C-alpha cells in the first residue's frame, strides 16, 4: 500500500463547476433539485396554527400594555414618601382615585390574560382535541 492518505484539507478539492454529473445505475435525477415538485409545506394544520397565533397577538399585547400601566401606577404610589400625610415613612396613603385606577387596571389585566388563555385553549382544543392549559 503505497497510496498516500488524504487529509481533511485535501478532501473537497473540486469546485461546483467541476463536479461530476455522471449518473449511477438506479440513481437517476439525484443531482437535481426535485423539491419543486413536492407540494408546499403549508397545510391546513399550519394555516390553523398561524390563525391561532394571530388571534393571540392582541390579547397578549393588551396584557403587556396593561401590566405596564399597572406597574407605573403602583410605582408612582409606592415609590413616594407619604410620611407628610401618614406621619410614618412605613405607611402609605392611597387616594380614592388612585385606588380606583389600580383596581381598574388590575381587573383589565385579569380580563386580558383570561382572554389570552381562552384563545390558547381554544386553539389547542381545535388542533388536538384534548390538551388544555389551566
Amino acid at each position: 500500500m503505497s497510496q498516500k492518505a488524504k487529509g481533511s484539507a485535501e478532501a473537497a478539492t473540486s469546485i461546483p463547476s467541476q463536479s461530476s454529473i455522471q449518473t449511477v445505475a438506479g440513481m437517476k435525477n439525484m443531482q437535481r433539485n426535485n423539491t419543486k415538485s413536492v407540494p408546499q409545506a403549508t397545510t391546513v394544520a399550519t394555516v390553523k396554527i398561524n390563525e391561532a397565533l394571530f388571534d393571540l397577538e392582541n390579547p397578549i399585547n393588551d396584557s403587556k400594555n396593561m401590566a405596564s400601566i399597572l406597574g407605573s401606577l403602583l410605582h408612582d404610589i409606592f415609590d413616594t414618601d407619604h410620611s407628610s400625610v401618614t406621619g410614618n415613612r412605613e405607611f402609605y396613603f392611597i387616594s380614592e382615585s388612585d385606588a380606583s385606577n389600580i383596581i381598574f387596571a388590575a381587573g383589565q389585566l385579569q380580563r386580558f390574560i383570561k382572554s389570552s388563555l381562552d384563545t390558547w385553549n381554544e386553539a389547542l382544543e381545535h388542533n388536538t382535541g384534548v390538551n388544555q392549559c389551566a
Side-chain angles (χ1 to χ4, degrees):
M1 287 201 231
S2 63
Q3 285 187 337
K4 181 179 171 185
K6 290 188 176 185
S8 61
E10 297 179 21
T13 56
S14 63
I15 58 176
S17 63
Q18 295 174 336
S19 63
S20 173
I21 308 180
Q22 297 175 355
T23 58
V24 178
M27 300 292 228
K28 186 178 178 185
N29 294 330
M30 294 302 289
Q31 291 83 17
R32 295 189 185 133
N33 180 1
N34 289 338
T35 58
K36 292 180 182 174
S37 63
V38 177
Q40 293 294 326
T42 307
T43 62
V44 174
T46 304
V47 171
K48 288 180 181 179
I49 290 169
N50 287 339
E51 288 175 3
L53 289 174
F54 287 129
D55 289 344
L56 280 170
E57 184 179 11
N58 285 337
I60 288 173
N61 282 325
D62 289 344
S63 299
K64 178 188 68 93
N65 292 334
M66 191 53 67
S68 177
I69 291 169
L70 181 58
S72 292
L73 288 170
L74 292 171
H75 182 268
D76 289 347
I77 292 168
F78 293 108
D79 196 40
T80 306
D81 181 12
H82 294 265
S83 62
S84 62
V85 177
T86 63
N88 187 335
R89 286 185 58 92
E90 296 186 20
F91 293 125
Y92 297 95
F93 172 76
I94 302 174
S95 69
E96 187 176 328
S97 173
D98 288 339
S100 177
N101 289 340
I102 290 171
I103 291 168
F104 174 78
Q108 285 295 103
L109 178 58
Q110 183 180 13
R111 281 188 277 286
F112 292 144
I113 291 172
K114 183 182 181 321
S115 174
S116 298
L117 286 174
D118 289 347
T119 303
W120 174 260
N121 285 329
E122 182 180 315
L124 285 179
E125 188 176 296
H126 185 60
N127 286 321
T128 63
V130 235
N131 296 332
Q132 282 215 348
C133 181

